[in-house]
Amino acid sequence: ATGGGGGASSRPRDCGGGGGPFEPVTSPIDGSGFRGLAVDLPDSDPRIRRRARGFEPEQISVSLSASPDSVWISWVTGDFQIGEGIKPLDPTAVASIVRYGTIRNPLIHKAVGYSLVYNQLYPFEGLQNYSSGIIHHVRLTGLKPGTLYHYRCGDPSIPAMSDLHSFRTMPAIGPEAYPKRIAVVGDLGLTYNTTSTIDHMRSNKPDLVFLIGDVSYADLYLTNGTGSDCYHCSFNNTPIHETYQPRWDYWGRFMEPLLSEVPIMVVEGNHEIEAQVEGKTFEAYRSRFAFPSNESRSFSTFYYSFNAGGIHFIMLGAYISFNRSGEQYKWLERDLANVDRSVTPWLIATWHPPWYSTYKSHYKEAECMRLEMEELLYSYGVDIIFNGHVHAYERSNRVYNYELDPCAPIYITVGDGGNRENVATSHADDPGNCPNPLSTYDKHLGGSFCATNFTTGPAAGKFCWDRQPDYSAYRESSFGHGILEVKNETHALWTWHRNQDMYNSAGDEIYIVRQPNKCPVRYVLPQFKSKNVLPNDLFRI
């Protein structure tokens, strides 16, 4: 394995334990460091203005189903409405149709989906309500793995069809084939930093985009369009946490050139909560994206799974119940029990707030979730875990319960996509930076306080280490994105790219190595797999 970037010298590194452990490295921060431009694109920017006419499709995106023979195509028709006395559009007024095929002309296949309109409503005088355009989701089935398809979407009877777009399906499920490049990014937003991130990402030609929560940051705005990089600092007297929903439409328009060709898979973050009338939350998130929820038997937009070649991906929700008695945990048990590592050797999980981050921002905030779920993920041998939330980059050594473990997952925080709140620079182990434990509580993360002092190791009896912890391998305060290239059943190349670097350079690079012969994992007997249930007895190989 090799590693480098920032303050780290590029040098050969021992792959013992499948990638480390490495000595902790922090990229130094100085006054000349690049922090980018954490300013949102204005409403007037041509990249986010509405160009569609009438009911022509816009904000087109592709997302995956649970298996490579199916994908979802999503888009929006009609313009949003915002203000008082708004009247929602009729979602049945425009058909949801995709014409597609392996040749450009004629597009011989047809799929029909469904449409919806969502509202963001506030029962307070002076706040503007919002109603979306018509959002369409169509599932294409019977596709061939690893194949290029061309498509148009819309309603041909109006007529209002999109331009011709193309996407490539994922490789067939099995240990021999993998997506070439998976882009991983979190906390993206819609700033000038975001545009740099997306430019760098597109230059790396990804086959799949992973967005680990915090999408549009529409909740940094009042309903009149006034924004701030700190909502509670600027708007501490509002009767409810407002959100300016047109920022979602702007984000969809800006991302369309990429997402109409490259599938995106999304998991929710805290900025997607967006509370409104009657206690409703996450309406924009649940409405605008298509999820393989039914296909993966979760029946929830907050957690689901899917396969891409020899990789099984698990997307988890941190802002709903993750307790062992809850539905998500029970689903996770069933899903993990049905993973056949001889078919999908790689097991990758993701959710928004990290368990192993050493930055002061959000330090130990997700401890309740870790205490509930970590043992289960560890016992099934999850290889890599991606998180966002902290606006910086950090890669861990293999760690379980805060101790180095050669069979534990590697945790990678990539909450550095480019949002308006800017980059995190302070570490909890810096002198005077250890936060008060009570300040780490987040009511949206389980409703309990779980952060405590360390009980063993160099930081025993303390809430923070007095130096960079051993479980932290490399950290840097810069915006960027990552690329994962799974090479075979045991080796994957992880590369993190800073926005300020040239397009062909890397800020951090390492081979992640699986060692299945040295690291036993749970498995279930074949007769249980077809029943999609978790047996009472689990065995180790």
Side-chain angles (χ1 to χ4, degrees):
T2 59
S9 59
S10 295
R11 61 188 187 276
R13 287 179 167 177
D14 179 21
C15 263
F22 306 130
E23 295 181 3
V25 173
T26 300
S27 176
I29 300 173
D30 56 50
S32 61
F34 178 87
R35 297 291 168 257
L37 185 57
V39 175
D40 276 337
L41 299 186
D43 296 8
S44 58
D45 191 293
R47 292 170 290 186
I48 63 176
R49 298 296 297 170
R50 185 172 188 263
R51 296 185 297 274
R53 294 170 297 179
F55 288 104
E56 292 176 346
E58 64 161 356
Q59 304 179 48
I60 302 168
S61 66
V62 183
S63 56
L64 302 181
S65 185
S67 58
D69 60 355
S70 177
V71 304
W72 288 91
I73 307 294
S74 304
W75 69 94
V76 178
T77 56
D79 204 1
F80 64 80
Q81 301 172 67
I82 188 166
E84 298 180 1
I86 59 175
K87 183 178 180 181
L89 297 175
D90 179 5
T92 66
V94 183
S96 307
I97 295 173
V98 176
R99 297 276 188 181
Y100 63 101
T102 56
I103 59 175
R104 293 173 177 266
N105 189 27
L107 299 172
I108 61 175
H109 301 292
K110 175 185 175 181
V112 179
Y114 68 95
S115 59
L116 59 96
V117 168
Y118 81 89
N119 301 310
Q120 188 78 17
L121 306 176
Y122 299 101
F124 301 101
E125 185 177 354
L127 273 61
Q128 300 189 67
N129 292 322
Y130 171 94
S131 185
S132 71
I134 301 171
I135 301 171
H136 305 261
H137 299 299
V138 178
R139 187 183 175 203
L140 314 187
T141 59
L143 306 178
K144 296 179 180 179
T147 302
L148 183 68
Y149 282 87
H150 308 281
Y151 73 96
R152 297 180 190 273
C153 59
D155 186 344
S157 68
I158 293 181
M161 294 293 285
S162 72
D163 292 336
L164 187 69
H165 297 282
S166 303
F167 66 87
R168 185 174 295 277
T169 53
M170 292 292 104
I173 299 173
E176 302 299 327
Y178 301 88
K180 290 182 179 179
R181 297 181 188 88
I182 302 169
V184 187
V185 67
D187 304 71
L188 197 54
L190 191 55
T191 68
Y192 290 97
N193 279 326
T194 308
T195 65
S196 177
T197 299
I198 297 303
D199 284 347
H200 280 75
M201 183 187 296
R202 295 190 70 178
S203 74
N204 282 320
K205 296 180 172 55
D207 302 288
L208 174 63
V209 176
F210 247 38
L211 178 50
I212 311 172
D214 286 1
V215 181
S216 72
Y217 286 81
D219 67 339
L220 291 185
Y221 286 77
L222 301 181
T223 63
N224 64 10
T226 302
S228 170
D229 56 6
C230 175
Y231 184 96
H232 292 292
C233 303
S234 301
F235 315 124
N236 57 358
N237 291 321
T238 55
I240 191 172
H241 190 135
E242 301 175 33
T243 173
Y244 187 60
Q245 288 294 298
R247 298 298 303 185
W248 278 100
D249 296 282
Y250 301 165
W251 189 90
R253 292 166 188 162
F254 175 79
M255 295 294 289
E256 180 181 326
L258 173 65
L259 302 186
S260 60
E261 309 273 337
V262 180
I264 183 172
M265 303 305 283
V266 185
V267 71
E268 74 277 7
N270 56 297
H271 284 274
E272 278 72 73
I273 295 174
E274 298 186 313
Q276 57 166 304
V277 68
E278 297 179 351
K280 291 182 179 180
T281 54
F282 293 102
E283 286 296 298
Y285 167 79
R286 291 191 290 187
S287 301
R288 291 180 177 272
F289 297 104
F291 307 92
S293 303
N294 293 348
E295 301 98 282
S296 60
R297 301 185 181 184
S298 81
F299 308 107
S300 169
T301 58
F302 297 111
Y303 53 93
Y304 58 91
S305 64
F306 64 97
N307 295 305
I311 312 171
H312 185 73
F313 293 95
I314 297 175
M315 318 289 276
L316 296 177
Y319 298 96
I320 60 169
S321 173
F322 43 70
N323 295 332
R324 299 187 187 195
S325 60
E327 288 302 317
Q328 179 176 205
Y329 190 94
K330 294 176 182 177
W331 169 84
L332 178 59
E333 284 185 308
R334 295 192 298 268
D335 191 81
L336 288 168
N338 279 280
V339 176
D340 186 341
R341 301 300 281 271
S342 68
V343 178
T344 52
W346 288 86
L347 185 52
I348 298 175
T350 185
W351 57 88
H352 186 59
W355 295 347
Y356 291 101
S357 169
T358 62
Y359 286 85
K360 181 179 180 180
S361 176
H362 306 301
Y363 180 69
K364 288 195 173 185
E365 191 176 273
E367 273 292 280
C368 292
M369 185 183 184
R370 184 188 71 81
L371 292 171
E372 293 290 327
M373 288 187 161
E374 184 179 25
E375 182 181 1
L376 182 63
L377 296 176
Y378 173 77
S379 67
Y380 276 98
V382 172
D383 298 297
I384 308 170
I385 291 174
F386 291 110
N387 302 113
H389 201 42
V390 176
H391 301 161
Y393 173 72
E394 186 165 18
R395 170 174 53 83
S396 82
N397 283 306
R398 295 186 179 276
V399 58
Y400 171 67
N401 196 26
Y402 290 104
E403 295 184 358
L404 301 184
D405 187 318
C407 295
I410 289 176
Y411 291 79
I412 300 176
T413 298
V414 283
D416 55 350
N419 66 85
R420 182 170 181 166
E421 291 178 325
N422 219 320
V423 71
T425 58
S426 300
H427 308 114
D429 49 89
D430 292 337
N433 267 359
C434 186
N436 184 317
L438 294 177
S439 71
T440 64
Y441 171 76
D442 185 335
K443 65 179 181 180
H444 299 296
L445 282 164
S448 301
F449 176 77
C450 300
T452 57
N453 290 347
F454 292 99
T455 56
T456 60
K462 301 177 183 178
F463 192 61
C464 303
W465 289 53
D466 57 7
R467 57 179 171 84
Q468 184 174 357
D470 291 342
Y471 57 82
S472 173
Y474 182 78
R475 60 190 184 185
E476 181 172 343
S477 297
S478 294
F479 284 120
H481 77 285
I483 296 289
L484 181 69
E485 302 172 69
V486 178
K487 303 296 186 180
N488 53 41
E489 295 179 50
T490 57
H491 286 68
L493 178 63
W494 167 255
T495 310
W496 175 65
H497 298 264
R498 302 185 196 89
N499 282 1
Q500 64 265 38
D501 290 340
M502 298 297 291
Y503 287 101
N504 60 352
S505 63
D508 183 36
E509 189 172 35
I510 186 174
Y511 271 102
I512 298 173
V513 183
R514 297 184 62 247
Q515 297 191 116
N517 293 332
K518 295 183 179 180
C519 297
V521 298
R522 284 184 176 183
Y523 79 106
V524 287
L525 298 175
Q527 61 262 37
F528 289 109
K529 282 186 172 294
S530 61
K531 297 179 182 179
N532 197 36
V533 296
L534 186 70
N536 293 327
D537 297 318
L538 293 169
F539 301 87
R540 283 185 175 269
I541 57 174

